[in-house]
Amino acid sequence: MTARRSPDDGLQPERTALAWSRTSQAVLANGALLLLRDTAHYGGPLRFLPAAAAMVIAGATYLIGRRRLAVLNRRPLPARLAPRRQVTTIGWAVIALIVVTSVLLTL
């Protein structure tokens, strides 16, 4: 983790990094649980697809979080701080993963 530049910076960069890390870990755990779920009943190569998607989403979430930490540690701060596109993309990806997980749990 990058050190803050001055004591007056606050904890915003650290809180942001922790939030993105927690999100990526939760998505990764979802993928692991999908792999472990009833492997005898549902076999075949397609069972790895949702878990692989979860791994990709988790990796992307982690990388976005690292980039956000770097942006928030810059001084002076950039004029545009809101990561709207990244948050929207990850949000829709997580929603898609929730739908896939829900469908698989009903099978």
Side-chain angles (χ1 to χ4, degrees):
M1 191 172 276
T2 306
R4 292 182 307 198
R5 299 195 188 251
S6 79
D8 296 332
D9 284 347
L11 296 175
Q12 179 67 31
E14 288 83 0
R15 286 194 316 262
T16 299
L18 287 172
W20 284 100
S21 295
R22 281 191 307 263
T23 303
S24 67
Q25 289 171 359
V27 171
L28 195 58
N30 182 290
L33 291 174
L34 283 172
L35 275 178
L36 295 175
R37 185 191 169 272
D38 200 13
T39 56
H41 172 55
Y42 181 69
L46 286 181
R47 81 177 178 104
F48 294 111
L49 191 61
M55 286 176 46
V56 169
I57 295 168
T61 304
Y62 181 76
L63 291 175
I64 290 170
R66 297 301 296 175
R67 284 183 41 200
R68 292 294 304 151
L69 181 61
V71 167
L72 290 174
N73 279 327
R74 277 193 232 148
R75 295 296 177 260
L77 285 171
R80 183 172 180 252
L81 281 176
R84 293 185 180 151
R85 187 177 342 133
Q86 294 95 340
V87 171
T88 303
T89 302
I90 293 299
W92 282 111
V94 168
I95 289 171
L97 185 63
I98 289 169
V99 169
V100 168
T101 301
S102 299
V103 168
L104 287 178
L105 289 177
T106 60
L107 294 177

